[in-house]
Amino acid sequence: MSTGLIIAIVIVAAVAVVAAVLAVRSKGSGPHGLKRRFGPEYERTVAQHGGDTGAAERELAERVQRHGTLRERELEPAERERYAARWTTAQQRFVDSPRESVAEIDRLLAELAADRGFPAGAEYEDQVAALSVHHADHVDGYRRVHRAAEAPTGGAPQSRAGTEEMRAAVIEARFLFDDLVTPSSRESGRHRAGVGADTGGQPPWSADQSRPKES
């Protein structure tokens, strides 16, 4: 084989690789790619920008640029069991102490995400941004739990609406917890929505489970 032919083959191969990389980047970062990738997170971001899709897409594209190459670390079996036990304890505590339960779940999610390789919980906004790139379908549950955990505790006694809002936040956050704690080999995809083994296949507080006390 002549030197010229070898060089030609190398050039063609290099061009093919570059074209493939550009195609992937275009698919993941263009307007349609962003909408597919982020799903409900795309709509939330557009709403936060007052309907300005251009501004929303620039923000989402920046998140992909910053966090798209993040590699999630697999948890060891003992770590998964420890987190599952912590979740069960925190959820059971909700019955008598909803605010304390929500605060513990907020801490648990921050620690779990950090253990999976996301930015540390002390960098909350950066952690949520990274999670939104890799777990867009369920990251808003974490936001809702965090808002509830950070809400002022003074003032009027906790109302029924407050308890229900926290309960709904915990239910939604559970899906992100499952995404983060379940081994990849058992996941059906990056945005898998499942329920944990400790609920017996039922979502938290399903019809056949006791509900938290109302304040």
Side-chain angles (χ1 to χ4, degrees):
M1 184 179 295
S2 68
T3 303
L5 182 57
I6 294 175
I7 293 174
I9 292 173
V10 170
I11 291 174
V12 170
V15 170
V17 169
V18 170
V21 169
L22 291 175
V24 170
R25 287 181 177 177
S26 175
K27 182 179 179 180
S29 300
H32 295 296
L34 288 171
K35 196 166 188 176
R36 285 195 301 270
R37 176 166 196 158
F38 283 95
E41 183 69 8
Y42 180 94
E43 303 300 335
R44 280 190 291 269
T45 307
V46 171
Q48 288 170 358
H49 283 277
D52 187 340
T53 57
E57 287 167 2
R58 285 192 294 273
E59 178 184 331
L60 294 174
E62 182 183 353
R63 292 189 207 173
V64 173
Q65 184 177 11
R66 290 173 58 198
H67 304 294
T69 59
L70 184 148
R71 300 274 306 236
E72 296 184 59
R73 183 185 75 84
E74 289 290 340
L75 298 177
E76 297 295 330
E79 291 178 298
R80 292 196 297 270
E81 292 175 7
R82 174 168 57 84
Y83 277 115
R86 283 182 61 186
W87 181 280
T88 299
T89 299
Q91 181 176 305
Q92 291 172 344
R93 191 179 185 188
F94 191 97
V95 174
D96 296 310
S97 304
R99 289 192 181 277
E100 289 79 0
S101 169
V102 167
E104 171 58 21
I105 287 173
D106 181 47
R107 289 190 295 269
L108 186 158
L109 288 172
E111 294 172 20
L112 173 56
D115 276 352
R116 288 298 308 271
F118 292 92
E123 304 168 0
Y124 169 74
E125 295 296 340
D126 202 36
Q127 186 181 67
V128 169
L131 284 166
S132 74
V133 173
H134 297 272
H135 298 277
D137 283 357
H138 305 309
V139 68
D140 203 51
Y142 180 21
R143 288 197 190 98
R144 293 180 64 183
V145 162
H146 186 74
R147 285 196 298 267
E150 295 292 310
T153 56
Q158 181 179 306
S159 66
R160 173 186 174 88
T163 300
E164 284 301 305
E165 182 178 357
M166 287 188 288
R167 186 179 74 89
V170 170
I171 291 174
E172 187 175 351
R174 176 58 191 252
F175 294 121
L176 176 63
F177 173 82
D178 283 345
D179 267 359
L180 293 173
V181 83
T182 305
S184 296
S185 60
R186 289 168 52 192
E187 292 179 347
S188 60
R190 179 167 54 83
H191 299 306
R192 188 190 65 84
V195 294
D198 61 305
T199 63
Q202 297 282 353
W205 298 310
S206 58
D208 62 345
Q209 292 177 301
S210 60
R211 293 167 61 88
K213 295 178 180 177
E214 306 293 351
S215 300

